[in-house]
Amino acid sequence: MGNPSAAVLLDWYDRHARQLPWRLLPAQLRRGRRPDPYRIWLSEIMLQQTTAATVGPYFRAFLDRWPAVVDLAAADLDAVLHAWAGLGYYARARNLHKCARAVAGEHGGVFPDTEAALRKLPGIGPYTAAAIAAIAFDRPAVVVDGNVERVMARLFAVDENLPAAKARLRALAEGLTPQARPGDYAQAAMDLGATVCTPRAPKCLMCPWQPECEAQALGIAESLPRRAPKAERPLRLGIAFWTVRSDGAVLLRRRPERGLLGGMMEVPSSDWAARGPADMVAAPVAADWRELPGQVNHGFTHFRLELRVLAAQVRKNAKADGIWVMPDALGDHALPTLTKKVVRHAFAHACRAPHPSTSSG
Ligand code: SF4
């Protein structure tokens, strides 16, 4: 069995590269077009934890509104968070804005072109720095995402569990990364994982590396990469307080900047604790609280959350920390998915006012 070669994969990419809104195809590069680092950076931040199909419309909307990094830097953070709603992980949107400001303010609106300098920017970790260096600047950076890990694990039949196998998979990927066309190669390896060497039912007959693939020869491709069994995510409990003023306005407040959903609007809630809040100290205002039927469930990466929702009507001049929002204006705010769930739950069970426009995301 021979060694897999980058040239074979690049040949395949020349014929099968996916058309993506942020991508220049090999033929366009040959005609002298150069990638726009702003577009590559924006797409890479959006693609973290999100599929290319979901990202497409967001990417176009951001570009329409903020065509260059200096435009994004000059935007209001709230406008950016609002446009981001639906992509999840709002810390990324906040860092996106911070990074745009750093590029505009400290680099004259021009992205640095090395991995080391890119990593100093907010929100750019090792993977994203490597991807931008390779794709935007054609540097031979080693770009390893989940797709590439899977391809390497199969190509070299690595049966060690992830995440322990990461260093080895990276070293294998490094060994294949070419000096010629490294940007196309990085995208080719990711495309191969996304379209051919898929997690289930890899299409080995269509794979340019099939003759060299050890896992395929051994008949174990689909079982790789191996993963350590996942621990069950713990459950945390909390209470959300649905506070409705006599004129119909509801109370929202901004979460602390640090921590989960940092800086995002929420229906005021207690801490999220393993055992559940023991009392009502978190209530935003003294009132006659009653519990709504059912609960709101939400999954975060490291825990599951179960929120009970308590509702109360208060006087028009009631004092409470936060902002009062009329139901038909809720859609004007960048609400994270958890807040939208609480709002929908409350409207379904407590309120006769019309349902606000809180599309899911
Ligand atoms: Fe993946 Fe099959 Fe190609 Fe091996 S031959 S890299 S398992 S698609």
Side-chain angles (χ1 to χ4, degrees):
M1 189 171 289
N3 287 329
S5 89
V8 168
L9 186 66
L10 283 166
D11 272 357
W12 172 84
Y13 183 70
D14 285 341
R15 282 173 282 122
H16 298 288
R18 285 183 293 171
Q19 300 215 5
L20 299 170
W22 44 87
R23 173 176 284 176
L24 288 185
L25 295 171
Q28 294 173 300
L29 292 172
R30 274 197 290 276
R31 285 199 293 274
R33 298 232 355 233
R34 296 270 68 89
D36 174 359
Y38 171 59
R39 290 172 176 235
I40 303 304
W41 162 75
L42 184 61
S43 67
E44 285 298 333
I45 302 293
M46 287 184 166
L47 285 164
Q48 291 166 6
Q49 324 264 351
T50 313
T51 64
T54 303
V55 164
Y58 285 90
F59 177 80
R60 289 193 195 90
F62 265 65
L63 273 192
D64 282 350
R65 198 155 166 196
W66 300 297
V69 69
V70 289
D71 303 318
L72 187 58
D76 239 25
L77 175 61
D78 266 353
V80 175
L81 292 173
H82 201 179
W84 186 271
L87 283 173
Y89 298 93
Y90 287 89
R92 285 191 289 145
R94 307 172 76 76
N95 276 330
L96 183 89
H97 191 242
K98 257 194 219 159
C99 183
R101 293 206 155 170
V103 172
E106 296 160 27
H107 297 271
V110 178
F111 275 87
D113 65 356
T114 63
E115 261 183 282
L118 285 161
R119 279 189 67 173
K120 292 193 180 128
L121 291 169
I124 299 191
Y127 162 77
T128 305
I132 299 170
I135 301 170
F137 301 109
D138 214 22
R139 296 206 177 260
V142 184
V143 184
V144 185
D145 69 351
N147 285 317
V148 175
E149 279 183 347
R150 183 168 61 254
V151 173
M152 293 302 132
R154 291 172 175 175
L155 208 47
F156 298 99
V158 175
D159 63 359
E160 193 181 349
N161 277 345
L162 278 171
K166 273 182 180 290
R168 189 165 161 212
L169 296 175
R170 185 186 160 77
L172 291 166
E174 188 168 4
L176 283 175
T177 301
Q179 293 297 316
R181 298 177 63 194
D184 277 351
Y185 173 81
Q187 296 174 88
M190 290 191 271
D191 271 20
L192 188 74
T195 62
V196 174
C197 194
T198 44
R200 286 197 201 93
K203 304 171 191 72
C204 299
L205 291 176
M206 299 167 67
C207 177
W209 277 339
Q210 187 267 339
E212 292 86 26
C213 180
E214 294 183 27
Q216 202 268 335
L218 294 166
I220 58 168
E222 199 164 342
S223 70
L224 299 180
R226 298 205 203 287
R227 292 178 193 281
K230 272 198 181 151
E232 172 80 356
R233 283 179 302 170
L235 178 65
R236 294 195 197 169
L237 305 170
I239 297 175
F241 296 93
W242 181 249
T243 318
V244 183
R245 223 168 46 178
S246 54
D247 62 351
V250 296
L251 184 65
L252 295 182
R253 73 173 175 198
R254 200 174 284 283
R255 290 182 59 78
E257 290 294 321
R258 295 195 161 272
L260 273 172
L261 306 181
M264 302 303 297
M265 300 305 285
E266 69 164 1
V267 173
S269 70
S270 66
D271 285 345
W272 303 335
R275 288 166 176 268
D279 57 34
M280 299 288 293
V281 288
V285 57
D288 183 15
W289 295 100
R290 68 186 171 92
E291 182 161 353
L292 303 183
Q295 67 222 5
V296 173
N297 296 296
H298 190 70
F300 288 102
T301 312
H302 298 296
F303 64 92
R304 294 170 293 131
L305 177 66
E306 198 175 283
L307 283 181
R308 291 155 58 209
V309 182
L310 270 53
Q313 292 269 354
V314 298
R315 291 190 317 276
K316 178 112 191 278
N317 58 356
K319 293 267 181 300
D321 275 347
I323 58 165
W324 294 98
V325 181
M326 294 307 285
D328 59 4
L330 282 166
D332 298 344
H333 295 266
L335 304 183
T337 303
L338 173 60
T339 302
K340 288 179 182 172
K341 284 184 183 177
V342 174
V343 168
R344 279 197 288 266
H345 186 87
F347 273 100
H349 293 96
C351 188
R352 290 189 196 88
H355 197 290
S357 58
T358 53
S359 60
S360 66

